[in-house]
Amino acid sequence: MSLPPLVEPAAELSVDEVKRYSRHLIIPDVGMAGQKRLKNAKVLVVGAGGLGSPALLYLAAAGVGTLGIVDFDVVDESNLQRQIIHGQSDIGRPKAQSARDSIREVNPYVNVVLHEERLDSDNAMRVFEPYDLIIDGTDNFATRYLVNDACVLLGKPYVWGSIYRFDGQASVFWASCGPCYRCLYPEPPPPGMVPSCAEGGVLGVLCASIGSIQVNEAIKLITGIGEPLTGRLMIYDALEMSYRTVRVMKDPECAVCGKNPTITGLIDYEEFCGTVSEEAQEAAAGSTISAKDLKAMLDSGDSVFVVDVREPNEYEIVSIPGATLIPKGEFLSGAALEQLPQDKRIVLHCKSGARSAECLAIVKNAGFSDAVHVGGGVLAWVSQVDPSLPSY
C-alpha cells in the first residue's frame, strides 16, 4: 500500500543542489517537492559495514540532508571485500569516521552525525529519537531485536536487510501501519543454529544488492512515492537471480506491537538471543584454555587430540598445526564421537570459540569429562602464537 510522505519539504534547494539533483528533479514522481523532502530528512544507519556501506553512499548521493551513523568498530582488511565505503588507507580507523569522510567526498551538502558507541538498551532510544527513519545494517540477532523494539516504542519506521552467502532479504517494518520484525520472527533461532557472515561468508556484491534496495525503500518512505515493502518480505537469490516476495501479516499477539504487548521497554537482548546455549556456557566454565596454553601443551608433548570444528573452506584459509578437521555438523549428528580417541585429551577449537563451546557440551555429555576448548579459537592462535598466519 502507498503511504503519505514521511518528511515535510525543506524550504528550498540552492542553485548548486538543483544542478546536483537534476536527474531526480525531472522524474515527475520525485520532482522538486520530493527532493526537498530528502533534503529535510534525517536518516540513521545502524552499522557502517556490508549493508551500511552502500546504503550510506546512496543515501548521500540521493541528497538525504542528515545522515547518522552508529558504529563502534574499526576497519579491518577483511572488511574491504564488501564494505565499499572504506579503503586500504582506512584500515585501523574507526568505521564511522571513515564512512563520514567518504560521504563528504560523495556529497558535501550532507550533514553527518557520528554515534561511535555500541548500540544497547541504555542508549538506543536516545540515539534513535532525533531521526525520521532507521536503516538496519546489523549482522546479529540481538541488535536486530533491539532496533525493532526501539522503533516500535518510538513509533518510527525502519528498513531491514539481511545477507548470507548468496541470499538476501529486505523489508520495511512500521508497527503503526503493518507488522514489525517480531511479527515475522517472534523468537530468535537457537544459539549457533544460524551461522553469521563471519562464520559462513557472504558474496561481496550481495551487500550492494540488498543495501541499494534498502535505500530505495527509504526514498519511497521519505517522499511518499510507490508502494513500500511494509507487510512484505523480499527474498533475493543471487545464484538463481530470482526475486520473490512473501506476505507478512501483523501478529495481534506480538509481544511488542500486539494488542496486549508484554514488552513495554527495552530488555537485555544478549540474554534474549544468547550467543551460545546454556549447555555450552556450562561446559565451557572451567574448561576453556588459551591459545598459549594449547601451544604449551603441544610443545611439551602432552597427549592431546586437537579438533578443528570449522568448515573445510575455513580450514583451508588457516589452521592450527596438527589439528584434525571434524566440522560442527558431525558433532550435532553424533558422527564425530566415534572419531575421538579414548586415550587422549580432547581439545576443540573453531574460529572464535562459540562453535567449539557448543561441541564441547556434546563431547562432555558423551563422557569425555576432561575435554577443553580454546577461547578465541584460531583467531587467538594467530594473534597470540603465530602472527605470520592469515586471519579472516
Side-chain angles (χ1 to χ4, degrees), residues 154-385:
L154 289 169
K156 295 182 184 293
Y158 79 100
V159 185
W160 171 78
S162 175
I163 50 176
Y164 179 69
R165 291 185 175 169
F166 300 98
D167 301 320
Q169 299 180 2
S171 189
V172 171
F173 296 114
W174 195 357
S176 64
C177 59
C180 76
Y181 181 76
R182 283 184 184 268
C183 296
L184 178 61
Y185 299 114
E187 298 287 339
M193 183 63 68
V194 180
S196 67
C197 290
E199 294 176 348
V202 60
L203 185 69
V205 72
L206 179 66
C207 302
S209 300
I210 301 302
S212 62
I213 288 172
Q214 289 181 282
V215 175
N216 187 58
E217 293 304 302
I219 291 173
K220 288 156 60 179
L221 288 168
I222 292 167
T223 59
I225 63 175
E227 295 188 9
L229 279 171
T230 48
R232 292 182 293 155
L233 174 68
M234 191 224 69
I235 302 171
Y236 171 54
D237 184 329
L239 283 183
E240 294 187 0
M241 191 48 65
S242 64
Y243 291 87
R244 62 188 180 95
T245 56
V246 177
R247 181 67 61 182
V248 180
M249 304 299 294
K250 191 175 183 68
D251 181 4
E253 305 300 321
C254 176
V256 69
C257 79
K259 295 179 180 178
N260 298 296
T262 57
I263 296 175
T264 56
L266 301 183
I267 62 175
D268 185 333
Y269 293 91
E270 294 292 338
E271 181 180 346
F272 174 66
C273 294
T275 54
V276 294
S277 66
E278 291 185 10
E279 293 81 1
Q281 294 179 39
E282 293 175 2
S287 297
T288 301
I289 64 171
S290 69
K292 290 183 177 179
D293 292 334
L294 175 58
K295 180 67 164 59
M297 288 180 179
L298 296 174
D299 289 345
S300 63
D302 289 1
S303 182
V304 297
F305 186 70
V306 183
V307 181
D308 187 335
V309 305
R310 299 174 299 153
E311 296 302 310
N313 54 320
E314 294 178 89
Y315 186 83
E316 290 180 3
I317 297 172
V318 60
S319 63
I320 294 176
T324 299
L325 177 65
I326 307 178
K328 176 186 172 183
E330 296 188 33
F331 284 89
L332 296 176
S333 70
L337 298 176
E338 63 185 23
Q339 303 178 53
L340 304 180
Q342 299 287 335
D343 58 344
K344 293 183 178 182
R345 189 179 192 186
I346 307 303
V347 180
L348 306 168
H349 85 82
C350 61
K351 179 180 181 179
S352 59
R355 283 175 283 177
S356 59
E358 298 288 347
C359 294
L360 180 64
I362 296 172
V363 169
K364 282 185 171 291
N365 287 335
F368 296 87
S369 58
D370 64 344
V372 294
H373 86 123
V374 180
V378 72
L379 295 183
W381 180 273
V382 172
S383 64
Q384 299 173 19
V385 178

Side-chain angles (χ1 to χ4, degrees), residues 5-36:
L6 184 63
V7 179
E8 291 298 316
E12 62 181 3
L13 299 180
S14 68
V15 172
D16 289 337
E17 287 174 322
V18 170
K19 293 177 181 178
R20 177 178 289 266
Y21 308 127
S22 61
R23 296 303 185 273
H24 273 176
L25 299 176
I26 60 177
I27 301 174
D29 303 76
V30 180
M32 185 65 73
Q35 194 62 49
K36 287 180 179 179

